[in-house]
Amino acid sequence: MKRLASMSSGQRVAAAKGMPFANSPVLTAKLSAGRSRFVLFVMFAALLALAGRAIWLQGMSKDFLQKQGESRYVRTLELPATRGKIMDRNGHVLASSLPVKAVWAIPEDVKDAPEAKLLELAKLLGMSKRDLDKKLDSDKGFVYLKRQVENDVADAVIKLGIDGIQTRKEYKRYYPEGAAMAHVVGFTNVEDVGQESMELAHQKILAGVAGNRRVIKDRLGHIVEDVRAIREPQDGKDLTLSLDSKIQHIAFTQLKEAVEAHKAKAAGIVVLDIKTGEVLALANLPTYNPNDRRALTGAQLRNRVLTDTFEPGSVMKPFTVALALERGFVKPETHIQTAPGKMTIGTATIGDSHAHGVLTVEQVIEKSSNIGTAKMALQMQPQEMWEMFTSVGFGQQPKIGFPGAVAGRVRPYASWRPIEQATMSYGHGISASLLQVAQSYMIFARNGDTVPLSFLKTSAKPIGQRVISEKTARAMRKMMEMAAGPGGTAPKAQVPGYRVAGKTGTAHKLAGGKYVNKYIASFVGFAPVSDPRLIIAVMVDEPSNGKHFGGDVAAPVFATVTANALRALNVAPDTTKTNIVIPAQGLKESI
């Protein structure tokens, strides 16, 4: 009643006439025209903004948004290429890749897995539950649990049915010859990348090129659709080495026996094909098993034949004598007075292990006289000796494409003093690797020239580089055959049915810049002398079982390896002599 009383007469009339409530003047909004236009403008601007955003997203940003979307469910999987095999010269496999699997996880998806299944997973992967939890406690979207898992183990892992646990194909390198070939073949890491020796040197050839394909995966990482292959994998190429597995086994076995017999610290051996320059065998001790490298040490890893240098000692004497013959200072029958077995040069004195008196040049090599060698050396210019040493590879890094091969050291001739020239003539004051020593003897075995070495099988005939005349080479072969005979320093190098030639070496080791009573015993030689086929160099480091001379320690290894290797190669004997004469008290070379 009060509301009706307060109405104006016009309002009461409208109400009395039945006007709709919505049209009541009471409800009429009294807004200004400017405010209405502003609200309309804001709404229109918002509509334009939405339209512009839609055009931007669906037009200009289409590729970006599609990529973002695909990144949630589309994956590019790598298709690993099979690494090429490494084989010996006869096709025997030395390294091959076996298919295995990597076990990986999406940590976020594994969190709710039953504890019993995780315990079983850890057991299958050969790890503790603690280590497994540590790997899974990661904020990464992808973690490897274990690499190079055998296929049956990987299948057992998948059968556990744990969400977020997946496997992928990869390869594991296998080395059938194990420790015997380790220092030549080398090994790869878990990523199948070469780390040592030929595996490293020929990584690009062996590795090939990995391929890839695009797939669609669900939230748990399962492939639900194979979209397309982007690139097919290109498998690596096989590599054929110059090595002969039979000769390698012979060399390794004999070297191991020598180390054990003489209680040596280390040893090395290398076998070269004189005709082609190919390396037929190379072994070191200590060695390692490339199939199980969990306890690998630096001493085992060292390829001592190529990376370790030592003073060659008396194996250098033939080069000094050959140079003296080439320069015409002496002839093989020239007499040299070596009495009284000692010689003073400046303030230093050098000597022989035995007083020999007058020796011919041939006997200087046969008896390994320091005095006789030094007297010939001092007739020559230092530059001439330096050129001879470097021409056969001393002081030069071997060009063999093998990682770690060292150059050794031959000091510049301009700084040589007379005493240094004398000691260098018999192998003291210079350093070389066993491989360099073996290669240097090519000039004696190949009638005066030398050829490059190769760790790969070759078919082309190598081009030789002449160093000395054929006449000098023949003369030196005769002298070194005498040195390896009953009257020389290495009668234990003799081989029944074959004529052999070579030279012993026994050198003190340096420690703290001083010579100490530790030795490196060596022998380098070739056979058969009538038509040389093999050069074999042996080095034994620190023999400590009562014998340390090269003729006692290294020469017997040479003899056994030579005999078996020549027979393995079907090389015909070149002598009917089979009774080996070894004096009860052998002649020792001068140190």
Side-chain angles (χ1 to χ4, degrees):
M1 294 300 291
K2 290 181 180 179
R3 180 177 177 84
L4 290 173
S6 63
M7 287 183 181
S8 66
S9 58
Q11 291 173 332
R12 286 195 296 272
V13 172
K17 291 181 178 180
M19 183 179 293
F21 183 77
N23 295 330
S24 173
V26 177
L27 300 177
T28 301
K30 296 181 180 181
L31 298 174
S32 65
R35 186 176 181 184
S36 298
R37 292 189 184 94
F38 176 75
V39 172
L40 182 62
F41 174 78
V42 170
M43 294 176 65
F44 182 72
L47 181 62
L48 289 175
L50 290 173
R53 182 61 175 168
I55 293 172
W56 175 262
L57 293 176
Q58 297 181 40
M60 305 298 292
S61 301
K62 179 181 178 181
D63 293 340
F64 170 77
L65 293 174
Q66 284 183 337
K67 289 180 181 179
Q68 291 298 309
E70 288 178 356
S71 67
R72 271 65 175 176
Y73 61 86
V74 176
R75 297 288 186 271
T76 299
L77 298 183
E78 183 179 278
L79 304 176
T82 304
R83 191 176 180 86
K85 295 190 290 290
I86 297 179
M87 299 174 290
D88 81 340
R89 63 185 306 104
N90 300 311
H92 180 73
V93 176
L94 306 179
S96 62
S97 294
L98 303 179
V100 290
K101 290 183 179 178
V103 179
W104 58 276
I106 302 174
E108 182 67 26
D109 295 336
V110 185
K111 287 183 177 180
D112 297 329
E115 193 70 14
K117 286 190 175 183
L118 292 178
L119 284 170
E120 185 65 21
L121 175 63
K123 183 178 179 181
L124 286 171
L125 296 180
M127 62 174 62
S128 66
K129 178 62 166 52
R130 180 180 179 182
D131 290 339
L132 178 62
D133 290 339
K134 193 172 182 180
K135 285 179 175 289
L136 293 174
D137 186 21
S138 172
D139 56 359
K140 296 180 180 179
F142 172 98
V143 293
Y144 279 115
L145 299 183
K146 191 169 183 180
R147 305 290 299 274
Q148 298 187 344
V149 176
E150 299 298 330
N151 287 329
D152 56 345
V153 176
D155 293 341
V157 168
I158 293 300
K159 286 181 180 179
L160 291 175
I162 302 175
D163 290 343
I165 300 294
Q166 294 294 318
T167 62
R168 59 165 290 183
K169 183 179 179 181
E170 60 181 10
Y171 292 95
K172 180 180 181 180
R173 207 67 165 158
Y174 175 62
Y175 303 94
E177 294 299 320
M181 287 279 189
H183 288 107
V184 180
V185 178
F187 59 87
T188 62
N189 63 9
V190 73
E191 299 291 345
D192 214 21
V193 177
Q195 300 297 295
E196 287 290 335
S197 304
M198 302 307 283
E199 289 276 33
L200 172 60
H202 297 277
Q203 165 66 18
K204 290 184 179 180
I205 294 174
L206 291 166
V209 180
N212 48 46
R213 63 189 177 107
R214 301 188 74 186
V215 299
I216 294 176
K217 289 189 174 185
D218 63 13
R219 183 181 65 85
L220 299 178
H222 301 132
I223 297 175
V224 296
E225 183 181 349
D226 194 336
V227 180
R228 63 186 173 90
I230 300 175
R231 183 179 62 202
E232 295 295 333
Q234 298 176 20
D235 292 340
K237 296 181 180 178
D238 294 341
L239 193 67
T240 301
L241 303 185
S242 59
L243 268 67
D244 187 308
S245 294
K246 292 180 181 178
I247 298 177
Q248 178 74 19
H249 179 73
I250 293 167
F252 178 76
T253 302
Q254 294 305 313
L255 193 69
K256 186 176 181 181
E257 290 181 3
V259 168
E260 292 171 352
H262 296 284
K263 297 181 180 179
K265 176 183 177 181
I269 185 170
V270 60
V271 181
L272 305 181
D273 189 318
I274 294 170
K275 306 294 185 183
T276 64
E278 293 171 300
V279 179
L280 298 181
L282 184 154
N284 295 274
L285 285 170
T287 185
Y288 63 95
N289 183 355
N291 297 307
D292 184 5
R293 303 189 299 275
R294 288 174 293 183
L296 182 62
T297 64
Q300 293 173 311
L301 194 60
R302 278 163 56 188
N303 191 339
R304 298 168 188 269
V305 171
L306 284 85
T307 64
D308 284 21
T309 60
F310 61 99
E311 288 192 341
S314 295
V315 298
M316 293 295 293
K317 290 174 181 175
F319 298 101
T320 303
V321 175
L323 182 60
L325 292 174
E326 285 285 284
R327 294 293 181 268
F329 296 133
V330 297
K331 294 180 179 180
E333 61 274 13
T334 300
H335 289 82
I336 298 177
Q337 178 60 263
T338 65
K342 293 185 182 298
M343 179 179 178
T344 300
I345 304 173
T347 58
T349 300
I350 61 174
D352 287 336
S353 59
H354 305 278
H356 299 295
V358 177
L359 297 175
T360 65
V361 170
E362 289 180 338
Q363 290 175 322
V364 167
I365 293 296
E366 181 187 25
K367 309 299 182 184
S368 194
S369 169
N370 289 347
I371 301 300
T373 307
K375 283 190 173 183
M376 282 184 273
L378 292 174
Q379 296 181 57
M380 298 178 280
Q381 295 298 317
Q383 182 176 351
E384 294 178 309
M385 290 180 59
W386 182 88
E387 288 174 349
M388 166 61 87
F389 293 160
T390 57
S391 66
V392 295
F394 294 114
Q396 315 294 313
Q397 187 171 27
K399 296 178 181 179
I400 54 174
F402 203 102
V406 296
R409 185 168 183 260
V410 178
R411 292 190 298 107
Y413 59 84
S415 63
W416 291 8
R417 295 177 296 156
I419 183 61
E420 292 171 332
Q421 183 175 349
T423 57
M424 285 184 190
S425 72
Y426 54 83
H428 288 262
I430 69 174
S431 65
S433 69
L434 189 64
L435 184 76
Q436 289 176 307
V437 171
Q439 184 179 15
S440 68
Y441 269 56
M442 281 281 185
I443 65 169
F444 305 126
R446 284 183 53 90
N447 289 328
D449 69 346
T450 185
V451 294
L453 301 187
S454 174
F455 277 91
L456 300 180
K457 184 177 180 180
T458 61
S459 56
K461 185 178 180 180
I463 299 175
Q465 179 180 353
R466 181 155 299 281
V467 178
I468 58 176
S469 68
E470 192 171 328
K471 179 181 178 181
T472 298
R474 286 198 300 268
M476 295 309 303
R477 279 206 296 273
K478 180 184 176 183
M479 295 181 202
M480 286 187 282
E481 187 174 7
M482 293 168 60
T489 57
K492 294 179 182 179
Q494 298 174 88
V495 177
Y498 295 97
R499 295 167 57 196
V500 302
K503 189 69 189 72
T504 54
T506 306
H508 285 282
K509 294 187 69 174
L510 282 167
K514 296 181 179 180
Y515 289 105
V516 295
N517 288 325
K518 294 180 180 180
Y519 303 89
I520 290 181
S522 61
F523 184 87
V524 56
F526 48 88
V529 172
S530 60
D531 184 16
R533 178 65 190 277
L534 298 178
I535 289 177
I536 300 177
V538 183
M539 176 274 294
V540 181
D541 186 7
E542 293 187 24
S544 58
N545 198 25
K547 297 179 179 179
H548 63 266
F549 285 100
D552 293 325
V553 177
V557 179
F558 166 88
T560 305
V561 174
T562 299
N564 288 283
L566 290 176
R567 293 188 184 101
L569 294 173
N570 294 317
V571 177
D574 65 341
T575 179
T576 57
K577 183 179 178 180
T578 57
N579 57 321
I580 301 302
V581 179
I582 300 178
Q585 184 65 38
L587 182 67
K588 308 303 180 186
E589 74 266 21
S590 301
I591 301 177

